[in-house]
Amino acid sequence: MTPSSPGAPLQVAEILRLREDFPILQTQVNGHPLVYLDSGATSQRPLVVLDAEREFATTLNSAVHRGAHTLAAEATEAFEDARAAVARFVGADDDEIVWTSNATEAINLVAYAFSNASVGRGGAAAERFRLGAGDEIVTTEMEHHANLIPWQELAAHTGATLRVIPLDDDGALRLDENQITERTKLVAVTHVSNVLGVINPVEQLIAAAHGVGALVLLDACQSAPHLPLDVRALDVDFAVLSGHKMLGPTGIGALYGRRDLLEAMPPFLTGGSMITTVTITEAEYLPPPQRFEAGTQRVSQAVALAAAVRYLHDVGMPRIAAHEAALGQRLVDGLTAIDGVRVLGAGIDLPRVGLASFDIPGIHSHDAGQFLDDRGIAVRVGHHCAQPLHRRLGVTASTRASTYLYSTEAEVDGFLDGVSATIEFFGVH
Ligand SMILES: Cc1ncc(COP(=O)(O)O)c(C=O)c1O
C-alpha cells in the first residue's frame, strides 16, 4: 500500500483494495453482505494482524523477560519491538508505554496508583499523586463509564471530590474557567465522545489543568484509532488506548505515561515480573514500564497490536481521519434529513469522527438494531457505557453507527436507507 498525500481522503478504489485485507468483510449476515458499522465498539482485524499473532504462536511462543533460552530472548525482543511500535504511533518514548489488558485497566492503573500514593505508598516521590479532602478530580458528563467509575472510586477511597464538567442541551462540554482551580489535581477527559463522535477541544482543558499544576489523563480510545495522535504535542500526562478498537486483538491495551510520572508512581498490580528484590516482608520494584506489568503478559496480542499500528501508519492516519470525517458528516447529515430521527449532538459545532448516535422516538434502539441486523447491518444499541450522557440528553438508549478506514459511502447510504425503512416498518411517523 503506497501512502498518498497527507490528509487526502482515501479513494474508493483504495478502500475496496484494503477491504480485501479483512476477511470478515467478505462474509454475509442474514443473507446480506455484512455492513459493519460497529467499529466504535470493536474494529475488524486485517490479515497482517491475524498472521502476526499466529506467527508469534508458531515460531516464538515463550515467556518474556524471564527465560535464558533463545526463544525467550526472541520473544522478549518481539514484545519490546511491539512496545516501540505503539510508542512511535502516539509520539511517545518506548518506556513510556505500559501494556494493559484494555483501556479500562489502564485507567484503573492510574486511579489505583493515586489511591496507593494517598495512603503513603511510593514515599516522597509519589507525593504529587496523594489526594485527600479538599482535592478535586475533574471529569465530564460525557465520559464512557471506564473514565468515570474509577474516579468515583478514587474519590471514595481518598476523600477527594469528583467534579464533573456538565454538558449543554446539545451535548457539548460546557466549559468555564471556574471548573479547574488550585484544588484540581487530575483532569480525566475523553478526546472523542463514543456517543456523539465529536472531537473535544481538549487543548483548552490541558492548558488550564497544567496552569494549576494538575495532571491530565486523556481517554484516547475513540481518537487514536481514527486520528493522528501525538501525546507529546498534545502535552497530556497520561493517555489510554484500546487495542481492539484500532485493528488489534482483544485483551491488549496500553497506558502512555510521561516518564517522570511513571518513575514516581506506585504500582497498581503487584506480583511476579515487576520486582528487583523480594524478602518475606517487602519488595523493591523495577523501573517503569515493567513496574506496572505484573504477571505473565499478553505477548502475542502485543505483537499483533504492533502489526495493527504499522498497518494504520502505512495507510496514513491523516488520510484515515479525512475519510472518516467525511463519512461522519454523511452520517449526521443523512440521519438529520430523515423525518423522526434525532441525532444526539447534531448541533455541536466541532469536528467529528465517523460515528453518530440517534434516537427514533417510539422505536426502542434494540428494535431498530434488530431491524437493521436483518439487512446485514451491524450497529450498536443501548447506552454505549455512557448512561450519564444519555440521561442528560433525555434518552435511556440510542442506536450508534460507527465507521473505520474500511467503511464506504455506499455502506453509509445503505444504512440510512435501513433507518428510513425501520421508521416505515414500525409506522411511527
Ligand atoms: C471512550 C471509551 N473509553 C473507554 C472504553 C473502554 O475500552 P476497553 O473496553 O478497551 O477497556 C471505550 C470502549 O468502548 C470507549 O469507547
Side-chain angles (χ1 to χ4, degrees):
M1 210 167 310
T2 46
S4 319
S5 58
L10 299 169
Q11 302 300 307
V12 177
E14 285 176 277
I15 299 166
L16 295 180
R17 198 170 64 237
L18 67 81
R19 281 174 71 87
E20 289 171 12
D21 296 336
F22 295 79
I24 205 168
L25 299 180
Q26 326 308 327
T27 59
Q28 301 238 327
V29 169
N30 296 325
H32 298 273
L34 169 65
V35 173
Y36 189 73
L37 292 175
D38 199 16
S39 293
T42 199
S43 58
Q44 298 302 347
R45 298 173 215 170
L47 282 166
V48 286
V49 169
L50 303 173
D51 290 348
E53 205 163 355
R54 186 183 165 86
E55 169 91 3
F56 179 86
T58 49
T59 63
L60 293 179
N61 186 42
S62 58
V64 298
H65 287 300
R66 284 184 189 175
H69 55 81
T70 303
L71 217 49
E74 287 174 355
T76 303
E77 200 179 320
F79 185 59
E80 292 306 322
D81 281 353
R83 192 193 305 277
V86 170
R88 261 195 315 277
F89 187 71
V90 296
D93 287 339
D94 302 0
D95 57 0
E96 294 178 313
I97 295 296
V98 176
W99 297 120
T100 60
S101 49
N102 49 36
T104 303
E105 187 187 299
I107 297 171
N108 274 277
L109 188 162
V110 176
Y112 277 91
F114 270 80
S115 189
N116 291 339
S118 303
V119 293
R121 301 301 296 158
E127 194 55 38
R128 72 176 305 177
F129 306 109
R130 187 188 277 265
L131 297 181
D135 292 329
E136 292 184 355
I137 307 157
V138 175
T139 188
T140 86
E141 202 176 4
M142 73 162 61
E143 300 304 315
H144 186 286
H145 298 160
N147 199 28
L148 174 64
I149 304 171
W151 311 122
Q152 294 174 347
E153 285 291 316
L154 178 60
H157 288 172
T158 60
T161 301
L162 181 63
R163 197 162 172 171
V164 178
I165 297 175
L167 303 182
D168 68 17
D169 292 344
D170 279 331
L173 291 177
R174 216 163 62 198
L175 299 172
D176 79 51
E177 61 222 19
N178 303 318
Q179 289 156 340
I180 293 176
T181 70
E182 294 296 326
R183 289 190 295 280
T184 310
K185 294 292 177 281
L186 177 74
V187 177
V189 63
T190 194
H191 197 183
V192 170
S193 161
N194 70 316
V195 179
L196 310 174
V198 294
I199 305 170
N200 282 320
V202 291
E203 293 80 0
Q204 221 175 309
L205 277 172
I206 295 164
H210 287 166
V212 295
L215 298 172
V216 177
L217 179 141
L218 186 73
D219 179 346
C221 284
Q222 298 290 348
S223 59
H226 307 286
L227 313 169
L229 177 75
D230 185 327
V231 290
R232 202 87 68 208
L234 264 183
D235 195 23
V236 288
D237 303 292
F238 301 101
V240 301
L241 309 176
S242 176
H244 67 98
K245 294 186 199 292
M246 45 202 294
L247 307 186
T250 50
I252 187 84
L255 168 71
Y256 157 75
R258 237 177 51 212
R259 181 187 288 107
D260 61 306
L261 296 173
L262 292 183
E263 278 168 353
M265 232 165 63
F268 160 40
L269 298 173
T270 52
S273 304
M274 48 79 72
I275 49 80
T276 52
T277 317
V278 181
T279 69
I280 210 66
T281 50
E282 56 190 14
E284 282 178 22
Y285 305 136
L286 280 165
Q290 276 78 26
R291 178 189 306 166
F292 301 102
E293 294 176 354
T296 304
Q297 295 297 298
R298 327 102 184 124
V299 187
S300 61
Q301 293 92 329
V303 168
L305 177 56
V309 299
R310 288 188 188 108
Y311 184 93
L312 289 169
H313 174 81
D314 287 349
V315 176
M317 290 309 294
R319 302 197 62 213
I320 293 171
H323 171 59
E324 293 207 69
L327 289 182
Q329 202 55 55
R330 198 176 186 92
L331 276 172
V332 173
D333 292 346
L335 285 167
T336 308
I338 302 173
D339 217 18
V341 172
R342 174 188 172 205
V343 181
L344 304 187
I348 303 175
D349 186 20
L350 284 174
R352 290 166 190 277
V353 298
L355 181 153
S357 303
F358 60 100
D359 175 46
I360 310 172
I363 306 178
H364 195 281
S365 68
H366 283 91
D367 292 332
Q370 184 80 59
F371 188 88
L372 293 166
D373 183 54
D374 286 344
R375 299 179 158 219
I377 302 170
V379 293
R380 173 86 190 258
V381 297
H383 52 63
H384 323 314
C385 299
Q387 287 186 11
L389 180 153
H390 279 86
R391 202 169 290 121
R392 173 66 180 88
L393 297 182
V395 287
T396 50
S398 63
T399 306
R400 181 182 76 185
S402 53
T403 67
Y404 210 172
L405 72 168
Y406 41 65
S407 306
T408 65
E409 284 184 358
E411 287 183 309
V412 169
D413 293 348
F415 155 78
L416 293 169
D417 286 346
V419 174
S420 297
T422 309
I423 292 173
E424 211 171 300
F425 178 81
F426 286 96
V428 290
H429 288 279

